[in-house]
Amino acid sequence: MKNIEIITKIRELSGISDLPKDEQALVKNAMEAAKRSYSPYSGFRVGASLLLENGQVINGSNQENAAYPSGLCAERVAIFYANAQYPGVKIKSMAIVAMGETGLTSEPVYPCGSCRQVMIESESRLNNKIRLILTGKKKIHLVEGARQLLPMGFDFNSLEA
Ligand code: THU
């Protein structure tokens, strides 16, 4: 018998000014993107901004639908658009914010399981790590790679196993 321990490393910062300038700009982009969310059913506006290796910034927001499951999270809107527009270009970092009725959430909001799955597909196929910048009013969390949030994940290597 063997015990396997998995450790997730997260860096916590106290505010946006603790980030380098380019990442501060990415967080601001995500906040603007959140304002363009179409979320009449949940009232929860999420913004995701990607910085690609080619310098392009891609913004996404959650897009809901009267048939609830037909909507899509901000993160996947951004990643799928990036893949469609710039196939094969790595995602360097991704800023995620969420706004409720009173504005930016006080705690950082973490991506849902389906978005984590899509992120690790991108990391696996392009062999890189996506730096996640999760921003709330009180603190910012930095995660070096989506795999930190989905250890033991399923990807194309699993299909070959
Ligand atoms: N949502 C996101 O956009 N990203 C996430 O990671 C979690 C949830 C959206 C989906 C839905 O439009 C709203 O937030 C409430 O769940």
Side-chain angles (χ1 to χ4, degrees):
M1 214 256 304
K2 183 165 103 172
N3 292 316
I4 300 173
E5 194 177 354
I6 297 169
I7 296 170
T8 298
K9 290 190 182 158
I10 296 167
R11 202 136 45 96
E12 187 171 290
L13 309 177
S14 50
I16 193 170
S17 54
D18 293 343
L19 289 171
K21 286 274 178 282
D22 57 338
E23 292 184 346
Q24 287 186 26
L26 204 63
V27 171
K28 284 179 185 156
N29 267 295
M31 288 179 183
E32 289 308 309
K35 292 177 191 160
R36 298 190 293 269
S37 152
Y38 176 64
S39 43
Y41 304 104
S42 71
F44 193 68
R45 293 169 295 162
V46 184
S49 289
L50 310 180
L51 176 63
L52 305 187
E53 197 185 39
N54 65 3
Q56 287 287 331
V57 172
I58 305 288
N59 301 305
S61 57
N62 52 328
Q63 300 294 319
E64 298 185 348
N65 193 280
Y68 294 173
S70 301
L72 198 62
C73 293
E75 296 91 326
R76 276 176 289 160
V77 168
I79 294 173
F80 290 150
Y81 180 76
N83 290 344
Q85 196 71 10
Y86 303 104
V89 178
K90 294 177 184 175
I91 302 168
K92 276 174 65 177
S93 46
M94 179 171 202
I96 302 168
V97 302
M99 294 178 181
E101 274 166 19
T102 55
L104 184 66
T105 54
S106 37
E107 296 293 323
V109 164
Y110 274 75
C112 79
S114 298
C115 290
R116 294 178 196 202
Q117 183 67 31
V118 168
M119 289 174 196
I120 69 158
E121 182 80 19
S122 174
E123 291 190 339
S124 300
R125 74 190 260 227
L126 301 174
N127 193 28
N128 77 313
K129 283 184 187 162
I130 305 173
R131 179 164 215 250
L132 303 176
I133 307 158
L134 312 167
T135 301
K137 262 187 212 149
K138 286 194 199 152
K139 55 182 94 118
I140 296 181
H141 282 179
L142 297 177
V143 183
E144 299 299 338
R147 267 203 189 265
Q148 290 281 331
L149 301 182
L150 195 59
M152 320 302 278
F154 182 92
D155 70 7
F156 47 77
N157 296 308
S158 318
L159 288 173
E160 285 163 13

